[in-house]
Amino acid sequence: MKDKAEVVIVTGSSGMIGSALIHKLAEKYHVIGFDHDGYPFPPAEAECVSVDLTSDDRMDFAFKRVRYAYGNKIASVIHLAAYYDFLGEPSDLYDKVTVKGTARMLKYLQDFEVEQFVFSSSMLVYKPSSPGVLITEESPLVPKWDYPKSKVTTEKVMNEKRGEIPIVMMRIAGVYSEEGNSIPITNQVQRIYEKQLSAKLYPANTAHGSTYVHRDDVINAIALTIEKRNDLPKEVVMNIGDDETLSYKELQDIISTEIHGNKMPIIAIPKWFAKTGAFMLNLFGKAFIKPWMIDLADDHYEMDSSKAKKLLGWKPKHGLRETLPKMIENLKDDPKKFYQVNKLE
């Protein structure tokens, strides 16, 4: 039976991670899903509380509802909600939603007994490394575009505004699942599946890559973070990622072999050529690859998650190498569904 005092708030509760997290947490906690008005809604296991991170009135109303229904004690706040896009253009929503929205939440939480506030940050806050060089929590922060920049700024705000609330900053690798759910990976899958010319062209070092992490492993890490909240430092940063980091070439080889039965060759092209091609594709259509992404194609992110393993007793149970064949199987079984789930054009 649930302990009535164990209340967990999940923001971004209708999202890919938030929904799955609620399914797991609802077995043990009273879960409140903070989300925007309208569809999609959080899972039925959570009470849905409509909130706008940019509005004091809406935030005040949401927390009045929490106090009225559940009292003054909150075991954990899992803050997943944030603004992001892949347009590469400046947006004041990074500041309004991610930075100031988090500060606003912490302001209203000062009136509660909060045992923990967990912020979903990103691997992309770090300065890129090189193959074999692991990124730790002490590695330099050099975010290169607006999304990770907003995460770094928000981490600083949390340190300033947390008061007595213990905080956990999870710097999470790129998330994937058997259904796809990773924009970079599923777009690479699409290019290879459709035998697009762009699938064979690459303007960077194919030995470079990025760490990813399975959605279920992220959820387990968060669940353990809540469970062990009284044993953690008052301020802690943890990397959450797979044990293995695949290079771009390894991804290409696995995906193309699973789809077409053979490895698709990669042809090196200059960055200026790739930028021109990306510009033209977006000029006459809506392509995933934007010109600004070309400058980041050489970046390599290889994370060390040993701190989370030590503090939480967490270990990833999945790997991208083993999950990709299942992802491709789902694509082949129902291409239309795969495209819809992953919002592929």
Side-chain angles (χ1 to χ4, degrees), residues 82-249:
Y83 177 77
Y84 73 95
D85 65 42
F86 281 90
L87 298 176
E89 299 172 357
S91 172
D92 62 357
L93 291 175
Y94 284 111
D95 182 61
K96 288 181 178 179
V97 176
T98 305
V99 181
K100 288 187 172 65
T102 303
R104 185 171 285 109
M105 283 201 68
L106 287 168
K107 180 179 77 171
Y108 283 94
L109 284 168
Q110 298 305 314
D111 294 331
F112 288 81
E113 297 175 46
V114 184
E115 296 181 352
Q116 179 186 72
F117 187 95
V118 181
F119 176 62
S120 59
S121 191
S122 169
M123 166 188 72
L124 298 175
V125 301
Y126 290 114
K127 179 181 179 180
S129 63
S130 55
V133 179
L134 297 179
I135 296 171
T136 71
E137 290 80 1
E138 287 71 44
S139 295
L141 304 183
V142 186
K144 292 193 171 186
W145 55 291
D146 286 352
Y147 171 67
K149 285 178 181 178
S150 72
K151 294 292 190 180
V152 171
T153 303
T154 304
E155 288 186 13
K156 293 177 182 176
V157 166
M158 288 174 60
N159 284 310
E160 296 167 0
K161 305 292 186 181
R162 74 176 185 88
E164 298 300 316
I165 299 173
I167 56 174
V168 178
M169 289 171 277
M170 284 190 166
R171 293 176 180 157
I172 302 171
V175 180
Y176 66 90
S177 75
E178 286 80 3
E179 290 76 41
N181 295 131
S182 165
I183 295 173
I185 292 175
T186 55
N187 275 271
Q188 188 174 356
V189 168
Q190 179 189 21
R191 293 193 298 273
I192 295 171
Y193 180 67
E194 297 177 2
K195 297 184 178 179
Q196 297 178 16
L197 175 61
S198 59
K200 299 181 180 180
L201 309 178
Y202 198 62
N205 190 334
T206 60
H208 289 186
S210 292
T211 301
Y212 286 88
V213 63
H214 196 284
R215 175 195 59 204
D216 293 349
D217 288 324
V218 175
I219 290 163
N220 286 334
I222 295 172
L224 285 167
T225 299
I226 300 171
E227 182 182 317
K228 297 179 181 292
R229 62 189 181 277
N230 295 322
D231 301 323
L232 296 175
K234 298 300 181 184
E235 294 184 35
V236 63
V237 179
M238 291 185 288
N239 290 342
I240 304 295
D242 282 352
D243 288 331
E244 181 184 30
T245 298
L246 298 179
S247 68
Y248 185 86
K249 185 179 186 307

Side-chain angles (χ1 to χ4, degrees), residues 38-95:
Y39 182 83
F41 302 103
E45 295 98 318
E47 177 182 352
C48 177
V49 175
S50 295
V51 68
D52 181 348
L53 296 178
T54 68
S55 167
D56 278 305
D57 288 343
R58 295 290 300 278
M59 189 75 75
D60 181 58
F61 176 84
F63 279 110
K64 282 179 178 175
R65 169 59 193 167
V66 172
R67 179 176 281 109
Y68 175 80
Y70 302 98
N72 208 48
K73 188 172 183 180
I74 300 170
S76 186
V77 177
I78 310 301
H79 188 32
L80 304 173
Y83 177 77
Y84 73 95
D85 65 42
F86 281 90
L87 298 176
E89 299 172 357
S91 172
D92 62 357
L93 291 175
Y94 284 111
D95 182 61

